[in-house]
Every structure is written in structure tokens, then in C-alpha cells.
Amino acid sequence: MAENIVQRLRDEIENGIVTNQFAPGDRLDEMQLAKHFGVSRTPIREALMQLGAIGLIEMRPRRGAVVVEPGPHRIYEMFEVMAELEGMAGSLAARRHTDTDRTGLLAAHARCEHSANADDADTYYYDNELFHHAIYTASHSSFLIEQCTALHRRLRPYRRLQLRVRNRMKTSFSEHGGIVEAILSGEAELARTLLRQHIAVQGDRFSDLVATLSQREAHSG
């Protein structure tokens, strides 16, 4: 239960940062956040530590937690690198996957189908995360798994936010179908290409979303 509370708080604060409710340079006061969310400071502190681990905030002397969101260009660069890493993971998974990997990938794909059909973007995000981790695992490259996992974690708030762009969730799931088929049929280069395109689209969609959020902020200002 405590872990679920921390996750919910982390997600709420993440959303606040990526939608500019908390702007770069803003101080995130533990006591104010605890009062706002109606919780103690302990889960707030844990949520802030997790956000610090992915680079959204940093702890500064005498100021505490401060928002240090990277700019859109930096985020786009991270998506570019993520696309290459995921493409490599898909290629290796196509060549190396075991029966256990096949079962795990199909199970993750089925979960994504359920949440996509329910039009539940938040649940789909976490099911989507499991889907991509199933691909990493099937690559059987421990170093690549570490790198993919680390960058996936850093891009987490932006990957979740872009799923709310119109039709992106259904498109994402449709792309998963081709990726699964390529991996399980051993088509390494096709799996690489499809995964690179899958992640690159996320980067493009995020750019569109940034423009939309900027317009919304300008109208509300």
C-alpha cells in the first residue's frame, strides 16, 4: 500500500513538472506538498528521491528539492538514443528469445490490449512499460538491459504524457503487434526497424505535445 501511495505521489508531481505547474527553478517544499496531498512527509520525501534519481529535481543546499526539468531539445535527444537502444534490444530479442521470453512478451502484449481497449492511458502506460521490459529481458544482454532501463526511467514522465495525445495509445498498441510478430518470427532487422520507429514517433508526438502545452499556457497566462 505504501509503495502505491509513493507511486501515485511521484506520478502527480511528475505531471505537475512536465505540464509546467512546477516550473524549472521552483522549490518543492515537503511540508506544503504533504498538506496538498493529505499525506505525511515520509512518502513525499520518497517520491522526491525517485524524481531526483531520474533528473527531474535536484537537492540544493538551503533550498531543498528544486525542479530542473531538461528542455525539449534535451528530451528529444534522449528519445533519439532510446530509439537506438530499443532497436538493438529488439534485434537481439529476435535472435535470442527463449520459450519463457515468448510467454512473457505475449502476456505483456495481452495486458496492453486490455488497457488500450479500456481507453485507460495511465494503466496502459504501466502495461506498456512491462511490454518493453519483456523485450529487454529477451535480449539476454545484461548491460543493454541496464542502459535501456535507466533511460526508460528518465523518460518515464514524457512517455506517459505523450500517451494522452489523441489516438496515440491505440496507435502504440497497433505498433506493438508488428514488433511482437517480428521478434517471435526471428526477424532481427525488422524488429530493430519497427522499435526504432515506435520510439521515434514518441519523440515526434512529444514535440507536438510541448507545442500544445505552450499554447495552453499562453492562453491561460
Side-chain angles (χ1 to χ4, degrees), residues 92-141:
L92 292 176
R95 288 161 43 194
R96 300 175 177 176
H97 71 271
T98 64
D99 287 343
T100 300
D101 296 326
R102 172 187 288 267
T103 300
L105 184 58
L106 288 173
H109 186 47
R111 289 182 61 141
C112 287
E113 181 177 24
H114 185 268
S115 50
N117 287 339
D119 203 28
D120 185 343
D122 286 334
T123 300
Y124 181 85
Y125 168 76
Y126 288 107
D127 292 339
N128 180 59
E129 188 173 48
L130 291 173
F131 175 80
H132 285 272
H133 280 283
I135 296 172
Y136 307 159
T137 299
S139 76
H140 294 276
S141 169

Side-chain angles (χ1 to χ4, degrees), residues 13-211:
I13 298 169
E14 270 185 0
N15 283 335
I17 292 173
V18 297
T19 58
N20 223 37
Q21 179 185 344
F22 303 120
D26 282 357
R27 177 172 175 267
L28 300 179
D29 182 83
E30 287 182 13
M31 191 167 292
Q32 289 180 358
L33 290 171
K35 184 177 180 180
H36 175 74
F37 290 111
V39 297
S40 69
R41 292 175 65 178
T42 301
I44 293 291
R45 188 174 300 118
E46 176 61 30
L48 292 177
M49 286 175 60
Q50 292 186 16
L51 294 174
I54 64 171
L56 276 184
I57 65 170
E58 65 180 32
M59 304 304 294
R60 295 180 181 172
R62 295 182 295 280
R63 291 201 66 198
V66 176
V67 176
V68 288
E69 181 196 7
H73 183 68
R74 174 76 169 180
I75 295 166
Y76 189 80
E77 288 178 340
M78 287 193 285
F79 271 112
E80 285 186 315
V81 174
M82 188 81 249
E84 295 299 323
L85 291 178
E86 293 237 4
M88 184 178 181
S91 175
L92 292 176
R95 288 161 43 194
R96 300 175 177 176
H97 71 271
T98 64
D99 287 343
T100 300
D101 296 326
R102 172 187 288 267
T103 300
L105 184 58
L106 288 173
H109 186 47
R111 289 182 61 141
C112 287
E113 181 177 24
H114 185 268
S115 50
N117 287 339
D119 203 28
D120 185 343
D122 286 334
T123 300
Y124 181 85
Y125 168 76
Y126 288 107
D127 292 339
N128 180 59
E129 188 173 48
L130 291 173
F131 175 80
H132 285 272
H133 280 283
I135 296 172
Y136 307 159
T137 299
S139 76
H140 294 276
S141 169
S142 58
F143 182 74
L144 182 59
I145 292 169
E146 289 170 8
Q147 300 307 306
C148 284
T149 301
L151 191 49
H152 189 112
R153 189 179 298 123
R154 288 202 67 184
L155 283 169
R156 181 180 61 215
Y158 310 104
R159 293 180 77 151
R160 186 172 68 247
L161 192 61
Q162 61 86 35
L163 286 171
R164 296 179 182 176
V165 172
R166 187 175 175 219
N167 294 328
R168 179 56 202 158
M169 181 170 54
K170 295 271 171 44
T171 303
S172 170
F173 176 71
S174 177
E175 291 168 358
H176 283 187
I179 291 165
V180 170
E181 185 175 343
I183 290 174
L184 297 186
S185 61
E187 298 182 69
E189 285 311 306
L190 179 58
R192 182 195 301 272
T193 298
L194 291 177
L195 270 159
R196 285 170 63 184
Q197 292 173 347
H198 180 63
I199 303 304
V201 166
Q202 290 183 324
D204 293 339
R205 293 284 181 170
F206 178 73
S207 297
D208 293 341
L209 188 57
V210 167

